[in-house]
Coordinates of all heavy atoms in Angstrom, one line a residue:
P1 N 12.1 -4.9 -1.1 CA 11.1 -5.7 -0.4 C 10.3 -6.4 -1.6 O 10.4 -6.1 -2.8 CB 10.3 -4.8 0.3 CG 10.4 -3.5 -0.4 CD 11.8 -3.4 -0.9
P2 N 9.5 -7.5 -1.1 CA 8.6 -8.1 -2.2 C 7.7 -7.1 -2.9 O 7.3 -6.3 -2.3 CB 7.8 -9.1 -1.3 CG 8.7 -9.4 0.0 CD 9.5 -8.1 0.2
L3 N 7.7 -7.4 -4.2 CA 6.9 -6.4 -5.0 C 5.6 -7.0 -5.5 O 5.5 -8.1 -5.9 CB 7.9 -6.1 -6.3 CG 7.3 -4.9 -7.2 CD1 7.2 -3.6 -6.5 CD2 8.3 -4.9 -8.4
W4 N 4.6 -6.2 -5.5 CA 3.3 -6.5 -6.0 C 2.8 -5.3 -6.9 O 3.2 -4.2 -6.8 CB 2.2 -6.5 -4.7 CG 2.5 -7.5 -3.8 CD1 3.5 -7.4 -2.6 CD2 1.9 -8.8 -3.7 NE1 3.4 -8.6 -1.9 CE2 2.5 -9.4 -2.4 CE3 1.0 -9.6 -4.4 CZ2 2.1 -10.7 -2.1 CZ3 0.6 -10.9 -3.9 CH2 1.3 -11.4 -2.8
I5 N 2.0 -5.7 -7.9 CA 1.6 -4.8 -8.9 C 0.0 -4.9 -9.0 O -0.6 -5.9 -8.9 CB 2.2 -5.1 -10.2 CG1 3.7 -4.9 -10.3 CG2 1.5 -4.3 -11.4 CD1 4.4 -5.2 -11.4
G6 N -0.7 -3.7 -9.1 CA -2.1 -3.7 -9.2 C -2.5 -3.6 -10.6 O -2.0 -2.6 -11.3
S7 N -3.4 -4.3 -11.2 CA -3.9 -4.2 -12.5 C -5.2 -4.9 -12.6 O -5.5 -5.8 -11.9 CB -3.0 -4.8 -13.5 OG -3.4 -4.6 -14.7
A8 N -6.1 -4.4 -13.5 CA -7.3 -5.0 -13.9 C -7.5 -5.6 -15.2 O -8.5 -5.8 -15.8 CB -8.5 -4.0 -13.6
T9 N -6.4 -5.7 -16.0 CA -6.4 -6.1 -17.4 C -5.5 -7.3 -17.5 O -4.4 -7.3 -16.9 CB -5.9 -5.0 -18.3 OG1 -4.6 -4.7 -18.1 CG2 -6.7 -3.7 -18.0
P10 N -5.7 -8.2 -18.4 CA -5.0 -9.4 -18.7 C -3.6 -8.9 -19.1 O -2.5 -9.5 -18.7 CB -5.7 -10.1 -19.9 CG -7.0 -9.8 -19.5 CD -7.0 -8.4 -19.2
A11 N -3.4 -7.9 -19.9 CA -2.0 -7.3 -20.4 C -1.3 -6.9 -19.2 O -0.1 -7.2 -19.1 CB -2.2 -6.4 -21.3
G12 N -1.9 -6.3 -18.3 CA -1.3 -5.6 -17.1 C -0.7 -6.7 -16.3 O 0.4 -6.7 -15.6
V13 N -1.6 -7.8 -16.0 CA -1.1 -8.8 -15.1 C -0.1 -9.7 -15.6 O 0.7 -10.3 -14.9 CB -2.3 -9.6 -14.4 CG1 -3.3 -8.7 -13.8 CG2 -3.1 -10.3 -15.5
R14 N -0.2 -9.9 -17.0 CA 0.8 -10.7 -17.8 C 2.2 -10.0 -17.5 O 3.2 -10.7 -17.3 CB 0.7 -10.8 -19.1 CG -0.5 -11.9 -19.5 CD -0.4 -12.3 -20.9 NE -0.8 -11.2 -21.7 CZ -2.1 -11.0 -22.1 NH1 -3.0 -11.8 -21.8 NH2 -2.4 -10.0 -23.0
R15 N 2.1 -8.7 -17.6 CA 3.5 -7.9 -17.3 C 4.0 -8.2 -15.9 O 5.2 -8.3 -15.8 CB 3.3 -6.5 -17.7 CG 3.1 -6.1 -19.2 CD 3.2 -4.5 -19.3 NE 2.1 -3.9 -18.8 CZ 1.1 -3.4 -19.4 NH1 1.0 -3.9 -20.7 NH2 0.2 -2.8 -18.8
A16 N 3.1 -8.2 -15.1 CA 3.5 -8.4 -13.6 C 4.1 -9.8 -13.5 O 5.2 -10.0 -12.8 CB 2.3 -8.3 -12.7
G17 N 3.5 -10.8 -14.1 CA 4.0 -12.1 -14.0 C 5.3 -12.3 -14.6 O 6.2 -13.0 -14.1
A18 N 5.5 -11.7 -15.8 CA 6.8 -11.6 -16.4 C 7.9 -11.1 -15.6 O 9.1 -11.6 -15.8 CB 6.7 -10.9 -17.8
L19 N 7.6 -10.2 -14.8 CA 8.7 -9.5 -13.9 C 8.8 -10.5 -12.6 O 9.8 -10.2 -11.9 CB 8.2 -8.2 -13.4 CG 8.2 -7.0 -14.4 CD1 7.5 -5.8 -13.8 CD2 9.6 -6.7 -14.8
G20 N 8.0 -11.4 -12.4 CA 8.1 -12.2 -11.2 C 7.5 -11.6 -10.1 O 7.9 -11.9 -8.9
A21 N 6.6 -10.6 -10.3 CA 6.0 -9.8 -9.3 C 4.5 -10.4 -8.9 O 3.8 -10.8 -9.8 CB 5.8 -8.2 -9.7
G22 N 4.1 -10.4 -7.7 CA 2.8 -10.6 -7.2 C 1.9 -9.6 -7.8 O 2.1 -8.5 -8.2
I23 N 0.5 -10.0 -7.8 CA -0.6 -9.1 -8.1 C -1.6 -9.1 -7.0 O -1.9 -10.0 -6.3 CB -1.3 -9.4 -9.6 CG1 -1.8 -10.7 -9.5 CG2 -0.4 -9.2 -10.6 CD1 -2.8 -11.1 -10.5
L24 N -2.3 -7.9 -6.9 CA -3.4 -7.7 -6.0 C -4.5 -7.3 -6.9 O -4.6 -6.2 -7.6 CB -3.1 -6.7 -4.9 CG -4.3 -6.3 -4.1 CD1 -4.6 -7.5 -3.1 CD2 -3.9 -5.2 -3.1
L25 N -5.6 -8.0 -6.8 CA -6.8 -7.8 -7.7 C -7.9 -7.1 -6.9 O -8.0 -7.4 -5.7 CB -7.3 -9.1 -8.3 CG -6.2 -9.9 -9.0 CD1 -6.9 -11.2 -9.4 CD2 -5.8 -9.1 -10.2
S26 N -8.7 -6.3 -7.6 CA -9.8 -5.5 -6.8 C -10.8 -6.4 -6.3 O -11.2 -7.5 -6.9 CB -10.4 -4.5 -7.8 OG -11.4 -3.9 -7.2
G27 N -11.4 -6.0 -5.2 CA -12.5 -6.7 -4.5 C -13.8 -6.6 -5.4 O -14.7 -7.3 -5.2
A28 N -13.9 -5.6 -6.3 CA -15.0 -5.4 -7.1 C -15.0 -6.4 -8.3 O -16.0 -6.4 -9.0 CB -15.2 -4.0 -7.6
N29 N -13.9 -7.1 -8.5 CA -13.8 -7.9 -9.7 C -14.7 -9.2 -9.5 O -14.6 -9.9 -8.4 CB -12.4 -8.4 -9.9 CG -11.5 -7.5 -10.3 OD1 -12.0 -6.3 -10.8 ND2 -10.3 -7.5 -10.2
P30 N -15.6 -9.5 -10.4 CA -16.4 -10.6 -10.3 C -15.5 -11.9 -10.3 O -14.3 -11.8 -10.9 CB -17.4 -10.8 -11.5 CG -17.4 -9.3 -11.9 CD -16.1 -8.7 -11.5
L31 N -15.9 -13.0 -9.8 CA -15.0 -14.2 -9.7 C -14.5 -14.7 -11.0 O -13.3 -15.2 -11.1 CB -15.7 -15.4 -8.9 CG -14.8 -16.3 -8.2 CD1 -13.7 -15.5 -7.2 CD2 -15.7 -17.3 -7.2
P32 N -15.4 -14.7 -12.1 CA -14.8 -15.1 -13.4 C -13.8 -14.3 -13.9 O -12.7 -14.7 -14.6 CB -16.1 -15.0 -14.3 CG -17.3 -15.2 -13.4 CD -16.9 -14.6 -12.2
M33 N -13.8 -13.0 -13.5 CA -12.8 -12.0 -14.0 C -11.5 -12.3 -13.2 O -10.3 -12.3 -13.7 CB -13.1 -10.5 -13.7 CG -12.1 -9.6 -14.1 SD -12.8 -7.9 -13.8 CE -11.4 -6.9 -14.2
V34 N -11.6 -12.7 -11.9 CA -10.5 -13.0 -11.1 C -9.8 -14.2 -11.7 O -8.4 -14.2 -11.8 CB -10.9 -13.3 -9.7 CG1 -9.8 -13.9 -8.8 CG2 -11.4 -12.0 -8.9
A35 N -10.5 -15.2 -12.2 CA -9.9 -16.5 -12.6 C -9.2 -16.1 -13.9 O -8.0 -16.6 -14.2 CB -11.0 -17.6 -13.0
V36 N -9.8 -15.2 -14.8 CA -9.1 -14.9 -16.1 C -7.8 -14.1 -15.8 O -6.7 -14.4 -16.3 CB -10.0 -14.0 -16.8 CG1 -9.3 -13.3 -18.0 CG2 -11.1 -14.8 -17.5
L37 N -7.7 -13.2 -14.8 CA -6.6 -12.5 -14.5 C -5.5 -13.4 -13.8 O -4.3 -13.2 -14.0 CB -7.0 -11.3 -13.6 CG -7.8 -10.3 -14.3 CD1 -8.2 -9.2 -13.2 CD2 -7.2 -9.6 -15.5

């Protein structure tokens, strides 16, 4: 099935992007952090 990865760091979400996987970001993340990730 479609794959998603959870991460709160730029390195972690870059790895997810490199795999072609989606990401789910935490609701506690401020919007500037969401944009960075």
